[in-house]
């Protein structure tokens, strides 16, 4: 019966949407009504309002929807949604202040003389507007009003002209900053958590282990990572558009002829181009650059974009009047001054140091000047043509639409899960033969078709939360959330272009002259839809296009994980093993050079530790070969093992699904058997179904080969061998480097230790002549001083014993002095060998440490080197198959 109400839910949603009822009310309305109907019929027919839900009842699933609604606003980890109104405001402000119009005119003047140049300029402007606005409607309408008449006047093919404008206008959905990417990042964050839970359950079911290695876990994403991941695919799509227009211009010159610039290419032309292009490009650099460089979060970058749009709008709307550029000049100057101050002063007001007060004062003045510039610009756009009011109203409308749809989608998703829809989709997708890629293609095809009828936002917030956890949980593909998000974003972009309901088509139809028919627009978009499909295929086959930039930025940022992080070990070792192959002889020379020096100045203990460390360093190369051998053995056996694994795991998955069905049948049997007048015939049918499913399980279990246990055991053994070999290598290099660093630290403390001689020798007189409490305080002070010097624990131990003797009810100063003398003897010996080692051993030790710290000792460093970042980022950008470990 759950499926009946699931069908009612979907039917009500489809009827509401197709009848033109607002999406914001169609989604939650369908959810609430279907949940209410299920509860009512459950109460009427079974006496239990929760009968027709997979689990729980109406109140539980309504509460779940409310909880999802609350999380949009109160969950601090989802605060990226705050960026939505900021970017919407920025886009509408730039469109209303005619910055977009200036861009179009400037680009047309620059590229017009090139064959297809006018079309190329439209694509480039679409890309620039996408990077500054991300508002499809505003971009399409602006380019339709300005570019379409010019293209038609210059004999451009109507389908090519309209298709170029529509396609270029939709670039804002994939080129950051994009509202779609922010919404997808928000949806994929929760989807990643669900996928992680699914994968952990699968790992436990397959291996019996309760904890899954972190390297096998699902990687989540953020809006910033989505922006970085979408940048290269977005630019690739722009490149495809330009290549297509050039191809048409060459093959059919009459379809896209060159357009000569009627003016002169003089200083005035250069100035106009500079003023049209520089401000938007600067804003792009500030917004995207601050995110990519890790200087600002997405929210902060959105704020920068909004303020920048106000400044730009302030001078553009005031153009031709006195003091036009004063606010912009003040803003730029104050920003530059703040940047200079930050390089010389620490502006943390919570911990003001000596000299920082001047910097804070200067920065405060600069901020006040910046505020004056912003307020001045705001006043201008408020007074001129009531621009600010119009922008704020449009921002509020668009933002409200986005958030209300998000809330409605949260309610709809809750109802969908309550009726078992999520499990149904999961069973359908996992039942598709061909693994992840077959499932992925089906999902993308469904989204593509849905784009013909509904908007991208509904697809993003309704479909993505249902299918994304299933796709992300697949250990065979092991795709990243950012890659999946960009692929979905590229696909959803087509929802603006696909006839008959593509919004970009309607926007252009509304401003196009009568000479342009709707059929022209439809025909014009078809090639660009094909180009988007090509872009989807390229990105699908080259995940490095999406994953590399986020990985590289993350690994090179100030908050980058240290090289010892478990998730990067495989890729780091891949880099290091190649490094050992190329630089192994030089490393051996450094090891042998240190091993050949006279180390008699060291205590016997440290002589042994140093020799052991050098032996471990030399042993690194043998351990690397053992890792490679173990890896090769596992890889070789994996080819034989994989077919058995896939076959048996497929049977076991079917068995788990059937057992779940049996559990549901038993629950239904229990529920209906407790009613006042149980339907015996219905209960017998349920029993028959249970017996049938149990027979199916027995049949499936018999299909598992008897040799499976032995085959699986062999694979597990080889896998453990590789894990052990890698663990031995890691422990070896860690110990080899740690002892060198520890010894270096001890030797470098020779002067600091020697400076404590007077303080320590004075303790004997203090113990003999001063009260016990005074002597104890002095000894404790000396202990603290020794604690700052590495390798002084034995000396401190003697002083501690002396202090404890004085702490007793009957202090014994003589015994305390005895312990002190023992400590001073150790101190003298320690100072002596350290000073000798400083002169004889320290230089060679430092040279050796510098030679191995970024190879053998890399795991103990704070961050990776630039070359290592590139290699590890490239390696981690590839999706690796982990299915055999499940």
């Amino acid at each position: 019966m759950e499926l009946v109400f699931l069908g009612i839910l979907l039917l009500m949603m489809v009827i509401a949407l197709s009848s033109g009822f607002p999406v914001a009310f169609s989604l939650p309305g369908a959810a609430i009504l279907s949940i209410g109907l299920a509860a009512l019929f459950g109460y009427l027919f079974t006496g239990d309002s929760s009968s027709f839900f997979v689990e729980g009842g109406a109140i539980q699933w309504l509460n779940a929807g409310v909880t999802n609604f609350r999380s949009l606003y109160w969950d601090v980890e989802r605060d990226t949604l705050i960026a939505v109104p900021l970017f919407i405001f920025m886009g509408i402000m730039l469109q209303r202040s005619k910055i977009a119009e200036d861009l179009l005119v400037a680009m047309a003047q620059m590229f017009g003389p090139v064959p297809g140049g006018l079309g190329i300029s439209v694509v480039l402007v679409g890309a620039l507007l996408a990077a500054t606005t991300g508002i499809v409607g505003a971009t399409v309408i602006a380019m339709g009003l300005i570019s379409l008449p010019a293209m038609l006047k210059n004999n451009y093919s109507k389908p090519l002209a309209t298709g170029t404008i529509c396609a270029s206008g939709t670039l804002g959905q994939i080129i950051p900053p994009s509202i779609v990417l922010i919404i997808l990042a928000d949806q994929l964050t929760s989807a990643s958590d669900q996928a992680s839970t699914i994968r952990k359950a699968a790992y436990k079911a397959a291996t019996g282990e309760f904890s899954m290695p972190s390297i096998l876990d699902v990687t989540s994403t953020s809006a910033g990572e989505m922006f970085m991941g979408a940048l290269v695919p977005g630019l690739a799509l722009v490149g495809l558009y330009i290549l297509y227009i050039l191809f048409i211009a060459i093959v059919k010159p009459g379809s896209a002829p060159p357009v000569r610039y009627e003016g002169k290419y003089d200083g005035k032309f250069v100035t106009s181009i500079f003023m049209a292009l520089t401000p938007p490009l600067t804003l792009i650099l500030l917004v995207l650059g601050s995110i990519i460089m890790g200087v600002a979060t997405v929210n902060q970058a959105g704020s920068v974009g909004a303020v920048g749009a106000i400044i730009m709008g302030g001078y553009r709307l005031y153009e031709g009047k006195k003091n036009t550029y004063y606010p912009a000049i003040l803003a730029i100057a104050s920003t530059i001054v703040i940047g200079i101050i930050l390089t010389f002063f620490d502006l943390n007001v919570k911990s003001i140091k000596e000299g920082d007060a001047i910097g804070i004062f200067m920065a405060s003045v600069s901020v006040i000047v910046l505020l004056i510039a912003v307020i001045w610009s705001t006043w201008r756009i408020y007074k001129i043509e009531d621009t600010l009011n119009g922008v704020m109203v449009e921002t509020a409308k668009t933002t409200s639409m986005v958030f209300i749809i998000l809330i409605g989608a949260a309610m709809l998703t809750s109802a969908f899960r309550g009726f078992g829809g999520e499990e149904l989709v999961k069973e359908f997708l996992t039942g598709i033969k061909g693994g992840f890629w077959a499932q992925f293609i089906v999902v993308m095809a469904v989204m593509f078709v849905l784009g013909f009828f509904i908007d991208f936002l509904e697809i993003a917030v309704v479909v993505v939360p249902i299918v994304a956890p299933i796709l992300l949980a697949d250990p065979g593909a092991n795709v990243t959330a950012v890659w999946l998000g960009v692929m979905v974003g590229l696909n959803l972009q087509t929802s603006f272009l696909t006839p008959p309901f593509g919004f970009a088509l309607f926007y252009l139809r509304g401003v196009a002259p009568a000479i342009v028919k709707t059929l022209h627009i439809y025909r014009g978009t078809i090639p660009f839809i094909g180009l988007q499909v090509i872009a989807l295929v390229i990105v699908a086959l080259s995940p490095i296009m999406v994953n590399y930039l986020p990985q590289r930025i993350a690994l090179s940022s100030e908050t980058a994980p240290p090289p010892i992080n478990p998730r990067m070990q495989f890729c780091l070792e891949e880099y290091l093993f190649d490094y050992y192959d190329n630089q192994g002889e030089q490393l051996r020379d450094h090891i042998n050079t240190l091993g050949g020096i006279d180390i008699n100045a060291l205590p016997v203990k440290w002589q042994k530790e140093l020799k052991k460390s050098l032996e471990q360093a030399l042993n690194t190369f043998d351990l690397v070969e053992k890792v490679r051998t173990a890896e090769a053995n596992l890889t070789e056996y994996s080819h034989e093992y994989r077919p058995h694994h896939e076959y048996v795991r497929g049977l076991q998955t079917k068995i788990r699904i059937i057992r779940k069905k049996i559990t549901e049948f038993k629950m239904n049997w229990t529920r209906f058997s407790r009613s006042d007048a149980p339907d015996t015939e219905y209960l017998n049918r349920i029993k028959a179904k249970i017996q049938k499913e149990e027979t199916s399980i027995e049949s499936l279990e018999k299909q598992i080969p008897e040799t499976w246990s032995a085959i699986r055991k062999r694979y597990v053994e080889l896998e453990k061998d590789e894990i052990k070999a890698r663990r031995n290598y890691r422990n070896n290099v860690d110990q080899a480097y740690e002892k060198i660093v520890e010894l270096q630290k001890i030797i470098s403390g020779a002067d600091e230790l020697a400076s404590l001689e007077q303080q320590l020798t004075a303790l004997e007189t203090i113990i003999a002549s001063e009260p016990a409490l005074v002597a104890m305080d002095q000894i404790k002070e000396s202990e603290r001083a020794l604690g700052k010097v590495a390798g002084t624990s034995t000396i401190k131990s003697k002083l501690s014993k002396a202090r404890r003797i004085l702490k007793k009810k009957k202090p014994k100063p003589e015994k305390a002095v005895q312990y002190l003398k023992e400590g001073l003897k150790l101190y003298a010996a320690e100072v002596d060998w350290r000073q000798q080692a400083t002169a004889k051993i320290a230089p060679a030790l430092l040279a050796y440490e510098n030679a191995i710290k970024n190879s053998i000792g890399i795991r103990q460093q704070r961050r990776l080197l630039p070359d290592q970042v590139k290699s590890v980022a490239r390696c981690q950008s590839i999706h690796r198959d982990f299915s055999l470990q499940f």
Side-chain angles (χ1 to χ4, degrees):
M1 287 297 292
E2 292 88 349
L3 296 181
V4 173
F5 289 99
L6 178 63
I8 291 172
L9 168 69
L10 297 177
L11 184 63
M12 283 196 291
M13 183 185 70
V14 169
I15 292 173
L17 290 174
S18 60
S19 64
F21 200 69
V23 175
F25 303 110
S26 298
L27 302 184
I32 294 170
L33 286 174
S34 59
I35 288 175
L37 284 173
L40 176 63
F41 279 91
Y43 178 77
L44 291 176
F45 290 102
T46 67
D48 183 1
S49 61
S50 62
S51 296
F52 299 135
F53 294 91
V54 172
E55 58 180 345
I59 301 300
Q60 176 184 336
W61 290 108
L62 287 173
N63 284 339
V66 173
T67 303
N68 291 340
F69 153 69
R70 292 182 61 200
S71 70
L72 293 174
Y73 297 97
W74 283 284
D75 189 345
V76 294
E77 294 181 357
R78 298 179 70 176
D79 65 347
T80 50
L81 291 178
I82 295 171
V84 171
L86 295 172
F87 284 121
I88 290 173
F89 176 88
M90 179 178 73
I92 296 174
M93 176 60 70
L94 292 177
Q95 189 267 331
R96 290 289 185 94
S97 60
K98 301 179 182 178
I99 300 293
E101 181 178 334
D102 293 345
L103 268 175
L104 280 167
V105 172
M107 284 290 186
Q109 291 172 350
M110 286 178 65
F111 292 96
V114 179
L118 199 55
I120 292 171
S121 68
V122 170
V123 173
L124 292 175
V125 169
L128 289 174
L129 291 179
T132 51
T133 69
I135 308 299
V136 171
T139 305
V140 173
I141 289 171
M143 291 196 295
L145 289 170
I146 302 165
S147 293
L148 185 57
M151 296 173 86
L152 295 177
K153 179 182 176 182
N154 288 281
N155 300 318
Y156 261 68
S157 162
K158 295 183 184 67
L160 178 63
T162 55
T164 301
I165 291 172
C166 288
S168 303
T170 64
L171 287 170
Q173 299 308 294
I174 194 63
I175 293 180
S178 162
I179 305 303
V180 175
L181 296 177
I182 296 174
I183 299 299
L184 284 173
D186 177 71
Q187 298 297 321
L188 287 169
T189 298
S190 57
S192 298
D193 294 338
Q194 295 175 47
S196 178
T197 303
I198 294 171
R199 190 175 285 190
K200 286 173 182 175
Y203 185 81
K204 181 183 175 184
T207 65
E209 300 289 337
F210 285 92
S211 61
M212 183 178 71
S214 60
I215 193 174
L216 302 179
D217 208 349
V218 177
T219 55
S220 185
T221 188
S222 64
E225 288 182 338
M226 288 291 291
F227 283 2
M228 290 181 278
L231 190 58
V232 174
L235 294 177
L237 191 59
V238 171
L240 286 174
Y241 288 174
I242 291 174
L243 288 174
Y244 170 71
I245 294 170
L246 281 173
F247 174 76
I248 293 297
I250 293 170
V251 175
K252 295 180 179 180
S255 297
V259 180
R260 288 189 176 185
Y261 174 54
E262 296 177 357
K264 294 181 179 180
Y265 292 98
D266 52 11
K268 186 177 179 181
F269 172 79
V270 173
T271 302
S272 65
I273 296 295
F274 178 83
M275 291 304 298
L277 295 181
T278 302
L281 289 174
T282 304
L283 190 62
I284 293 168
L285 183 64
L286 287 173
V287 174
L288 292 184
S290 60
I291 297 171
I292 291 173
M293 298 300 292
V295 176
T297 64
V298 174
N299 294 342
Q300 293 164 347
S303 303
V304 170
V307 171
I310 290 172
I311 298 293
M312 290 167 64
Y315 74 73
R316 178 61 182 83
L317 292 172
Y318 209 69
E319 193 172 29
K321 300 180 182 178
K322 188 179 179 181
N323 306 332
T324 298
Y325 295 103
Y326 279 17
I329 293 170
L330 286 176
I332 294 169
S334 58
T335 303
I336 293 171
V337 170
I338 291 170
I340 295 171
I341 293 170
L342 282 169
T343 60
F344 293 100
F345 297 95
D346 182 4
L347 301 183
N348 188 350
V349 293
K350 293 183 179 179
S351 57
I352 300 176
K353 299 175 184 176
E354 188 176 351
D356 287 342
I358 298 172
I360 290 174
F361 173 76
M362 294 169 61
S364 300
V365 173
S366 300
V367 170
I368 291 171
V369 173
L370 179 60
L371 286 173
I372 290 171
V374 174
I375 293 169
W376 194 349
S377 298
T378 305
W379 177 253
R380 283 182 173 181
I381 60 178
Y382 171 72
K383 295 296 289 183
I384 299 174
E385 300 176 5
D386 202 21
T387 303
L388 181 61
N389 182 62
V391 171
M392 295 294 286
V393 169
E394 285 300 314
T395 301
K397 285 180 180 178
T398 308
T399 305
S400 299
M401 179 197 73
V402 171
F403 277 86
I404 291 173
I405 291 174
L406 281 172
I407 295 166
M411 296 293 293
L412 183 73
T413 303
S414 174
F416 190 80
R417 288 172 179 156
F419 296 129
E422 189 174 35
E423 285 299 318
L424 196 66
V425 172
K426 183 179 178 181
E427 287 181 21
F428 169 72
L429 288 179
T430 53
I432 297 174
K433 293 182 179 180
F436 170 84
W437 287 106
Q439 299 167 10
F440 179 73
I441 290 170
V442 168
V443 168
M444 297 300 279
V446 169
M447 287 186 180
F448 184 80
V449 173
L450 286 175
F452 283 65
F453 308 102
I454 59 177
D455 192 10
F456 74 95
L457 192 56
E458 291 91 88
I459 300 173
V461 298
V462 175
V463 180
V464 172
I466 295 169
V467 299
I470 301 166
L471 297 175
L472 290 173
D474 191 310
N478 196 39
V479 299
T480 59
V482 65
W483 176 85
L484 181 61
V486 171
M487 289 295 294
V488 171
L490 278 169
N491 196 354
L492 291 184
Q493 188 180 345
T494 61
S495 69
F496 280 94
L497 290 177
T498 46
F501 302 116
F503 282 85
L505 313 182
F506 288 133
Y507 293 142
L508 184 59
R509 176 68 275 173
V511 297
I515 193 174
V516 176
K517 306 299 181 184
T518 302
L519 188 59
H520 291 145
I521 300 175
Y522 285 0
R523 283 172 51 201
T525 58
I526 291 172
F528 290 94
I529 294 172
L531 292 174
Q532 288 186 335
V533 173
I534 292 172
L536 272 171
V537 173
I538 293 172
V539 176
L541 298 177
S542 306
I544 196 169
M545 289 179 64
V546 175
N547 295 328
Y548 178 74
L549 191 57
Q551 287 287 347
R552 182 167 176 178
I553 296 298
L555 292 174
S556 57
S557 68
E558 288 297 323
T559 57
I564 202 169
N565 185 285
R567 294 189 72 92
M568 70 171 70
Q569 292 313 296
F570 178 85
C571 291
L572 181 60
E573 285 163 9
E574 190 175 88
Y575 167 85
L576 288 174
F577 292 179
D578 289 339
Y579 180 86
Y580 294 145
D581 291 339
N582 298 322
Q583 304 295 327
E585 287 304 316
Q586 289 89 327
L587 287 174
R588 286 187 178 92
D589 289 342
H590 286 295
I591 296 168
N592 293 329
T593 299
L594 183 61
I597 69 170
D598 182 7
I599 59 172
N600 289 326
L602 298 176
V604 174
K605 172 198 168 186
W606 274 109
Q607 290 182 34
K608 292 180 179 178
E609 291 290 354
L610 181 56
K611 289 177 181 177
K612 182 181 177 182
S613 173
L614 295 176
E615 288 173 3
Q616 288 174 320
L618 283 172
N619 193 36
T620 297
F621 306 103
D622 292 334
L623 292 174
V624 167
E625 290 307 313
K626 289 181 180 179
V627 171
R628 283 175 166 166
T629 301
E631 184 181 19
N633 291 338
L634 181 63
T635 302
E636 183 180 358
Y637 185 73
S638 295
H639 297 306
E640 177 186 342
Y641 170 73
R642 183 177 293 278
H644 299 283
H645 177 90
E646 291 176 351
Y647 176 70
V648 174
R649 291 296 187 233
L651 293 175
Q652 291 173 341
T653 301
K654 290 178 182 178
I655 290 171
R656 283 197 295 272
I657 292 171
I658 293 172
R659 281 181 176 153
K660 196 168 185 179
K661 286 182 180 179
I662 290 173
T663 302
E664 293 174 2
F665 287 146
K666 288 181 177 179
M667 288 174 61
N668 286 335
W669 190 90
T670 303
R671 186 186 302 145
F672 283 99
S673 65
R674 290 177 180 174
S675 61
D676 295 336
D679 187 340
T680 307
E681 185 179 348
Y682 180 68
L683 293 176
N684 289 335
R685 283 202 302 271
I686 293 177
K687 276 187 177 181
K689 288 180 180 179
I690 293 173
Q691 290 174 357
K692 182 181 177 182
E693 298 297 351
E694 288 175 344
T695 303
S696 298
I697 289 177
E698 292 176 4
S699 174
L700 290 170
E701 287 176 341
K702 288 178 182 178
Q703 294 177 41
I704 298 176
E706 294 181 0
T707 56
W708 164 245
S709 297
I711 294 171
R712 173 66 181 170
K713 183 180 178 182
R714 176 60 179 159
Y715 177 82
V716 171
E717 288 174 353
L718 291 173
E719 187 180 42
K720 286 181 178 178
D721 288 344
E722 189 200 9
I723 293 170
K724 183 180 178 182
R726 290 188 182 276
R727 185 170 59 245
N728 289 342
Y729 161 79
R730 293 165 191 170
N731 291 338
N732 179 79
V733 292
D734 288 349
Q735 292 168 14
Y737 183 73
E738 284 168 354
K739 289 300 178 183
I740 298 298
V741 173
E742 187 180 352
L743 179 57
Q744 224 179 358
K745 193 174 181 181
I746 290 172
I747 294 174
S748 65
D751 292 340
E752 189 177 356
L753 185 64
S755 68
L756 300 176
E757 181 177 5
Q758 186 176 355
Q759 180 180 348
L760 294 174
T761 54
L763 289 175
E764 184 175 353
T765 304
I766 292 171
I767 292 172
S769 59
E770 298 290 341
L773 288 174
V774 174
M776 286 167 59
D777 288 341
Q778 291 298 317
I779 293 171
K780 197 165 187 178
E781 183 65 31
S782 298
E783 287 181 58
R784 279 196 289 268
L786 284 168
K788 296 177 182 178
V789 183
T792 58
S793 58
T794 54
I795 305 172
K796 281 176 60 182
S797 175
K798 296 297 182 183
L799 265 63
S800 295
K801 288 180 179 179
R803 180 167 52 83
R804 286 196 293 271
I805 289 294
L806 296 174
K807 191 177 181 181
K808 292 183 178 180
K809 291 183 179 179
K810 293 182 179 181
K812 296 179 180 180
E814 304 83 9
K815 196 167 182 180
V817 169
Q818 183 181 346
Y819 280 124
L820 175 63
K821 287 180 178 179
E822 292 175 6
L824 289 172
K825 186 177 179 181
L826 292 172
Y827 169 78
E830 194 75 20
V831 171
D832 180 56
W833 81 258
R834 291 190 190 204
Q835 289 177 338
Q836 290 186 53
T838 301
K840 298 178 181 178
I841 301 172
L845 200 63
L846 178 61
Y848 173 70
E849 194 265 339
N850 286 332
I852 70 165
K853 69 179 181 180
N854 291 314
S855 54
I856 292 174
I858 187 61
R859 279 167 50 87
Q860 306 303 313
Q861 303 306 314
R862 167 62 189 87
R863 59 193 309 120
L864 297 172
L865 293 177
D867 285 345
Q868 293 168 339
V869 167
K870 292 178 185 176
S871 177
V872 172
R874 195 180 305 111
C875 172
Q876 290 190 329
S877 299
I878 300 168
H879 298 148
R880 301 188 183 278
D881 185 354
F882 289 148
S883 60
L884 296 186
Q885 299 184 45
F886 284 79

